[in-house]
Amino acid sequence: MPPSIEARQLTKRYGQFTALSGLDLSIQGTKCVGFLGPNGAGKTTTMKILTGLIRATKGTALINGVDVASDKKAALSSCATLIETPEIYPSLTPKEALSMLCEIRGVPRQDRNKRIDDALARVKMSEWADKKVGGFSKGMKQRVNVASTLLSDPEVIILDEPSSGLDPRGMSEVRDIVLSLRDRLVFMSSHLLAEVTEVCQEVALIDHGKLLVYDTIENVTAKFAGGGGAAEVGFAGNVDEQLRARVSKLPGVTSTTKSNDRHLIVKYDTAVLTQDKLLESVAGLKAGAITFSQASGLEDAYLSLIKETL
Amino acid sequence: MSREGSKAAVGSLAHVGIAAKYNFLNYFRARRFYVMLAIILIIAGLLTALVGYYRPPGFVDGGALGFYGAGWGSFASIVVVLSAAFFGGDAISGEFQNRTGYFLVPNPIRRSAIYVGKWLAALAASTIILAVFALAMLANGLFYFPGNVPWEFVESFAFAWVYLVAAMSLAFAFSSLFKSSSISVLMSVILLLFVFSVIDTVSSLVAGIEPWFSLTYGAGIVSNILNVPYPAAKTVTPFGPGGRFTVVSYNATVPEGLLILLVYLVVMAVLGLILFERKEFTS
């Protein structure tokens, strides 16, 4: 039976606030699926329900066909997880902490040391293997957390923003690790669309606790990226409404969206404008534009889908 | 794809052992263990120095039993309360506040196995502290009364350990109730050191009711066993002009005391476990 993750009418309410609203999602087979959505969309809530950290108000979460709520132990027996940024008992060393997980997950005694050494080597933490975790930086702890998902040869791996807290080198290493796990089912949430594009074959996009789309990246991009082009422009200063309006009024620009304080995603009509002309126009504003890059198709689709739900 | 050959099924009992082993390792290496040990050694050292210098009659004139009653009998309950609060007070709340639960809980292990494992680890660490204090008192006793260790001291140690087990269950229940480590530790200390004592006093002196519902009333057997004869179950003491007023005091018998401790152990352990099973990692 292929590995699987399934959410059936998954609902989670915190008082009046609905974090998940009847989420239906069925993922089967060995692949990497990116789980995308804005902050508060319900990504972490879904993953917490899948891993038994919280209970659903309604609905069912299944891993490999086993209901997590009724038998967490069986459901997670072939599943490794990394939810948010866990802390490890500060007086333990990475070797001891990983040994604890090996024992819990039933890794045979004779294999434990090798598995732990290999996992720590993959996250470049071998030389820290016998130091107490209490003195580690957030990034070092996250490396050990990533190592913890590699120990027991799991069929399903659930990763909630695995690059969180890591430096650029660490992020790149995590990407390589996730790429090497394509013979399993990896379900990974991330805000880094470039990372998702690089390592995932499929994406599930949710917003306001509801699934907007689940398909291959190619299909999502083809369906929702829309016609025209998109570019991300970085400015030296903060992007205010006045600046956004000036860019929006440029000939051929169809819409602008702030991606963060200093960046604008600019969508344009390719029949009117080419990328180099857009660059010239933006530079001509003399508004402090310092970077210009083509936005990915996934980013375009993401912005299109999220915008539609606002 | 099948990866079945790479691992074996682990039973819940084995999971309890694993959780206990690594939690004990964490306790044993943590600063708090050595702080607690230092507190106990300071108490024992002060007792040793003061008794050696002043030779108070209550310690040295009442024979070996009187000595253990004045030393061990007076302080064992405090050691129990501090140990339970130190090691059990934030055992569960710490998993939420310090986020260590995110590392341990999303694994193929039942929450009940984590709970029991942590409980055993905290009990083991506390037992070491209690044993160190008992050994310090024993060394003092043997110095003043060589070769004379009353059987009642052994019984008292056993009762103190049962009190520790019950107090640990109470501390774990509080730890499961609160998400803040400091609040759960503080509540455990306040409840065990002050609230129960106030309840005992108000119940017996003001209301004239035997406080059979109080944990510390049951724990009275730890010191009472060192009194010969064992204190009466109910004592009425007249006072005031012509003995017009009376003060009623109660003492739990050994079976009553053990029963009270046992009931607290079971009820609080079950309550704490239910709370932990229902608690969500929402932060």
Side-chain angles (χ1 to χ4, degrees):
Chain A
M1 210 173 82
S4 65
I5 292 174
E6 198 175 346
R8 291 181 192 157
Q9 281 297 298
L10 213 53
T11 301
K12 180 65 183 176
R13 291 193 196 94
Y14 297 103
Q16 298 295 309
F17 175 69
T18 302
L20 274 182
S21 179
L23 180 77
D24 279 309
L25 177 65
S26 178
I27 304 169
Q28 287 201 341
T30 53
K31 55 189 155 192
C32 181
V33 179
F35 196 32
L36 306 177
N39 292 329
K43 301 187 298 295
T44 299
T45 300
T46 306
M47 291 187 154
K48 282 183 175 178
I49 293 172
L50 283 167
T51 53
L53 286 166
I54 60 175
R55 286 182 311 279
T57 310
K58 270 199 317 195
T60 315
L62 303 108
I63 291 179
N64 290 333
V66 181
D67 183 355
V68 179
S70 59
D71 193 351
K72 186 192 91 169
K73 192 177 166 188
L76 299 184
S77 64
S78 194
C79 176
T81 65
L82 198 176
I83 306 296
E84 294 193 337
T85 45
E87 288 289 330
I88 301 164
Y89 292 140
S91 299
L92 298 187
T93 65
K95 222 170 194 174
E96 288 162 347
L98 297 183
S99 182
M100 175 174 74
L101 295 191
C102 278
E103 289 184 48
I104 287 171
R105 293 179 194 166
V107 175
R109 185 184 295 268
Q110 65 272 18
D111 294 349
R112 280 179 209 155
N113 283 341
K114 188 179 180 316
R115 297 250 189 124
I116 292 167
D117 290 344
D118 288 350
L120 287 173
R122 287 186 75 179
V123 296
K124 309 283 191 291
M125 286 294 289
S126 295
E127 62 179 301
W128 300 90
D130 296 310
K131 302 275 192 296
K132 284 187 189 174
V133 174
F136 286 7
S137 69
K138 191 180 171 192
M140 291 163 80
K141 287 177 192 168
Q142 189 68 346
R143 282 170 185 263
V144 180
N145 289 327
V146 172
S148 77
T149 63
L150 308 172
L151 293 170
S152 56
D153 203 16
E155 291 178 290
V156 177
I157 302 176
I158 297 175
L159 303 170
D160 183 18
E161 298 186 37
S163 304
S164 173
L166 296 177
D167 55 28
R169 192 185 184 91
M171 287 182 182
S172 166
E173 285 161 8
V174 166
R175 271 199 297 277
D176 289 342
I177 288 170
V178 177
L179 273 171
S180 73
L181 298 172
R182 281 184 166 180
D183 59 341
R184 298 137 209 265
L185 171 52
V186 179
F187 187 45
M188 180 182 85
S189 77
S190 176
H191 284 297
L192 305 172
L193 299 184
E195 180 181 75
V196 171
T197 306
E198 189 179 339
V199 302
C200 297
Q201 294 103 317
E202 297 178 353
V203 287
L205 210 153
I206 68 166
D207 194 20
H208 294 100
K210 286 186 173 161
L211 184 71
L212 301 181
V213 64
Y214 167 52
D215 209 332
T216 61
I217 291 181
E218 290 75 21
N219 285 347
V220 170
T221 304
K223 276 187 215 166
F224 300 102
E232 186 174 40
V233 185
F235 292 87
N238 283 351
V239 176
D240 55 19
E241 271 310 301
Q242 201 181 3
L243 174 57
R244 199 171 76 84
R246 286 176 69 199
V247 177
S248 299
K249 282 179 187 161
L250 289 171
V253 171
T254 53
S255 70
T256 56
T257 312
K258 266 174 80 171
S259 54
N260 60 46
D261 286 348
R262 295 187 177 197
H263 287 83
L264 267 182
I265 302 285
V266 181
K267 293 176 78 173
Y268 57 96
D269 185 348
T270 48
V272 179
L273 205 57
T274 55
Q275 200 177 93
D276 60 322
K277 293 290 178 197
L278 174 65
L279 173 58
E280 279 175 18
S281 301
V282 171
L285 291 173
K286 299 192 187 308
I290 52 172
T291 63
F292 186 94
S293 58
Q294 189 172 8
S296 75
L298 182 59
E299 192 164 65
D300 202 11
Y302 176 96
L303 290 169
S304 158
L305 280 160
I306 298 303
K307 191 179 170 188
E308 282 168 14
T309 67
L310 288 174
Chain B
M1 181 182 59
S2 174
R3 299 175 185 273
E4 293 301 312
S6 60
K7 56 195 179 188
V10 183
S12 288
L13 204 60
H15 275 157
V16 168
I18 295 162
K21 181 172 84 175
Y22 287 97
N23 273 282
F24 180 74
L25 198 60
N26 188 46
Y27 278 132
F28 192 65
R29 288 189 189 149
R31 193 182 302 153
R32 81 169 63 184
F33 181 83
Y34 296 96
V35 168
M36 191 64 209
L37 199 60
I39 290 171
I40 296 313
L41 291 175
I42 287 169
I43 292 173
L46 277 173
L47 271 174
T48 304
L50 291 173
V51 172
Y53 188 76
Y54 291 108
R55 307 258 167 174
F59 277 82
V60 291
D61 294 346
L65 200 57
F67 181 87
Y68 286 105
W72 165 264
S74 302
F75 291 94
S77 293
I78 294 172
V79 174
V80 165
V81 169
L82 290 179
S83 297
F86 253 61
F87 295 112
D90 68 343
I92 301 299
S93 53
E95 294 285 341
F96 292 82
Q97 187 177 319
N98 305 331
R99 305 177 61 79
T100 48
Y102 285 84
F103 188 75
L104 186 57
V105 173
N107 277 290
I109 180 171
R110 291 197 170 92
R111 285 196 186 197
S112 55
I114 295 172
Y115 187 88
V116 178
K118 288 184 77 71
W119 190 88
L120 288 173
L123 184 65
S126 302
T127 300
I128 291 174
I129 298 293
L130 187 65
V132 167
F133 185 66
L135 284 173
M137 291 298 102
L138 184 66
N140 269 282
L142 288 173
F143 177 77
Y144 291 103
F145 303 96
N148 186 359
V149 180
W151 174 246
E152 287 83 355
F153 173 63
V154 179
E155 285 182 302
S156 178
F157 177 78
F159 295 160
W161 188 78
V162 177
Y163 179 31
L164 176 64
V165 173
M168 190 63 77
S169 284
L170 186 85
F172 262 65
F174 270 101
S175 189
S176 298
L177 187 62
F178 298 105
K179 274 194 176 174
S180 159
S181 298
S182 47
I183 288 178
S184 57
V185 170
L186 199 65
M187 286 302 293
S188 301
V189 172
I190 290 173
L191 195 75
L192 288 164
L193 271 187
F194 306 111
V195 176
F196 275 122
S197 301
V198 171
I199 289 171
D200 291 353
T201 307
V202 170
S203 175
S204 54
L205 291 183
V206 178
I209 298 167
E210 182 185 5
W212 53 267
F213 40 81
S214 161
L215 178 64
T216 49
Y217 177 66
I221 59 174
V222 174
S223 54
N224 285 342
I225 195 71
L226 294 164
N227 292 320
V228 178
Y230 193 90
K234 182 180 179 183
T235 310
V236 181
T237 312
F239 77 101
R244 199 173 153 193
F245 303 104
T246 55
V247 172
V248 184
S249 65
Y250 294 92
N251 289 292
T253 62
V254 169
E256 282 171 352
L258 286 174
L259 186 65
I260 291 168
L261 296 179
L262 194 68
V263 168
Y264 265 93
L265 158 65
V266 173
V267 171
M268 289 299 155
V270 171
L271 181 68
L273 184 56
I274 291 170
L275 288 170
F276 180 49
E277 290 274 8
R278 298 178 63 83
K279 207 166 175 177
E280 299 196 326
F281 287 82
T282 49
S283 62

